[in-house]
């Protein structure tokens, strides 16, 4: 996403392509995009780079959120899903998408209808597997009863524990991969955490309460404590954060985003740098749902999110 959308200034097409090629050369085999990202530009970027090596990767994209006449539109109607898929196939330069996610639940459309459309795309040979994003365990079960769900992509990290309220267990029970997005806490859990006052005007973190003046200093202090713990363990803060996510279950995957080839290799090195269980446990005690400051989204965005929430749980 951050190559085309959401995080302020985007890199040049040349730099974005260089990063994706470096990921391919490093053995990365899962690439995750969406119709929303750059309002189609990200799918075009991914298609250009992955085209010659399409058979080497698992290609995932998303529907249900898209740019329409310059506006972000949530639309889970079956006819829209089919139309979005056809456009995505053209932009990606492929005849099949390996995993196609419903990006958000459209509360005006029963999830059974949206998933029914995705199932139809599987039957038509345009999609290999169905996924969901930002939904609860209850919605996952309803969808899974219509058509097998291969993957659920929800935010999961040391500071976003919502899956522990239901979807972590539900995915394990149903044999669904839990794909953790923003596993590095939107840049907080890295060697160069963001400075909210310096974020570009269109950066999505400007609207997130955890980055506002009342909450961010406390969250940054927790990140500093985690950084000290990581150094003691001989890993970087990002590697500690990724190792924690990957420790949550055999079915849990992480999709960290980056614009830096250096950070790409740092992230991948997590797999070769085992972190002791005691360190992972200590990290979980430092940053968790009880210690983080602020909800993960503002009130307007929370209205369209179906996942379980600690804000609702109290």
């Amino acid at each position: 996403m951050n190559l085309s959308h959401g995080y302020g200034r985007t890199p040049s097409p040349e730099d974005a392509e260089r990063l994706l090629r470096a990921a391919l050369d490093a053995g990365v085999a899962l690439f995750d995009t969406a119709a929303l990202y750059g309002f189609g530009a990200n799918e075009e970027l991914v298609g250009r780079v992955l085209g010659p090596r399409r058979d080497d990767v698992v290609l995932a994209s998303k529907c249900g959120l898209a740019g329409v006449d310059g506006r972000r539109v949530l639309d889970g109607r079956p006819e829209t899903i089919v139309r979005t898929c056809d456009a995505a196939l053209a932009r990606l330069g492929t005849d099949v998408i390996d995993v196609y996610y419903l990006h958000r639940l459209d509360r005006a459309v029963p999830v059974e209808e949206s998933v029914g459309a995705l199932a139809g795309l599987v039957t038509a040979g345009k999609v290999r597997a169905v996924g969901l994003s930002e939904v609860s365990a209850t919605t996952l079960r309803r969808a899974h009863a219509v058509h097998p769900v291969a993957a659920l992509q929800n935010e999961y990290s040391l500071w976003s524990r919502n899956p522990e309220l239901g979807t972590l267990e539900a995915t394990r029970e149903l044999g669904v991969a839990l794909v953790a997005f923003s596993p590095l806490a939107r840049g907080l859990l890295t060697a160069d955490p963001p400075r909210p006052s310096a974020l570009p005007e269109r950066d999505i973190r400007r609207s997130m309460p955890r980055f506002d003046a009342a909450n961010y200093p406390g969250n940054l202090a927790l990140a500093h404590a985690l950084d000290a713990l990581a150094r003691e363990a001989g890993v970087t803060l990002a590697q500690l954060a990724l190792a924690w996510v990957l420790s949550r279950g055999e079915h849990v995957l992480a999709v960290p985003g980056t614009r830096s080839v250096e950070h790409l290799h740092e992230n991948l090195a997590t797999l070769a740098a085992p972190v002791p269980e005691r360190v992972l446990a200590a990290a979980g005690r430092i940053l968790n749902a009880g210690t983080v400051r602020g909800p993960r989204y503002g009130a307007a965005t929370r209205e369209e999110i179906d996942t379980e929430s600690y804000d609702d749980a109290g």
Side-chain angles (χ1 to χ4, degrees), residues 9-20:
R9 302 179 188 88
T10 56
S12 68
E14 294 77 15
D15 285 343
E17 291 177 15
R18 187 177 303 113
L19 176 70
L20 292 177

Side-chain angles (χ1 to χ4, degrees), residues 78 102 105 109-119 138-139 141-147:
L102 181 67
L105 175 67
V109 180
V111 70
E112 290 84 356
E113 293 185 16
S114 297
V115 172
L118 292 170
T138 298
T139 300
R141 293 181 190 280
R142 287 173 55 191
H144 197 71
V146 174
H147 186 277

Side-chain angles (χ1 to χ4, degrees), residues 41-234:
N42 197 253
E43 287 180 326
E44 292 175 351
L45 165 68
V46 169
R48 286 197 306 273
V49 175
L50 266 54
R53 297 174 63 175
R54 176 67 182 89
D55 293 340
D56 297 334
V57 303
V58 173
L59 177 60
S61 193
K62 308 180 192 72
C63 61
L65 273 180
V68 179
D69 296 329
R71 296 183 301 110
R72 176 184 179 277
V73 174
L74 172 62
D75 187 347
R77 292 175 298 170
E79 60 270 27
T80 302
I81 288 173
V82 172
R83 186 170 62 249
T84 303
C85 180
D86 288 340
L89 290 169
R91 288 191 290 260
L92 291 164
T94 186
D95 57 2
V96 63
I97 297 169
D98 295 308
V99 184
Y100 205 40
Y101 291 95
L102 181 67
H103 205 157
R104 292 288 187 276
L105 175 67
D106 182 348
R107 297 187 189 278
V109 180
V111 70
E112 290 84 356
E113 293 185 16
S114 297
V115 172
L118 292 170
L121 292 171
V122 174
T123 301
K126 297 179 180 182
V127 169
R128 290 196 170 107
V130 169
L132 301 174
S133 178
E134 287 277 40
V135 304
S136 65
T138 298
T139 300
L140 170 63
R141 293 181 190 280
R142 287 173 55 191
H144 197 71
V146 174
H147 186 277
V149 175
L152 172 62
Q153 185 169 149
N154 281 356
E155 183 172 358
Y156 195 24
S157 68
L158 281 161
W159 84 342
S160 289
R161 303 294 191 93
N162 303 66
E164 295 172 7
L165 293 173
T167 54
L168 180 62
E169 181 55 36
T171 49
R172 182 185 292 112
E173 175 190 331
L174 297 173
V176 177
L178 178 60
V179 180
F181 76 82
S182 296
L184 300 179
R186 301 190 184 271
L188 176 73
L189 301 181
T190 68
D192 186 24
R195 290 184 298 116
S197 62
L199 293 175
E201 183 178 347
R202 296 178 63 83
D203 194 297
I204 59 175
R205 290 170 291 187
R206 281 189 168 272
S207 66
M208 294 179 174
R210 291 179 180 176
F211 290 92
D212 67 26
N215 295 317
Y216 192 67
N219 290 329
L220 187 60
L222 293 169
H224 288 160
L226 285 170
D227 186 51
L229 180 67
R231 291 175 185 274
E232 291 176 11

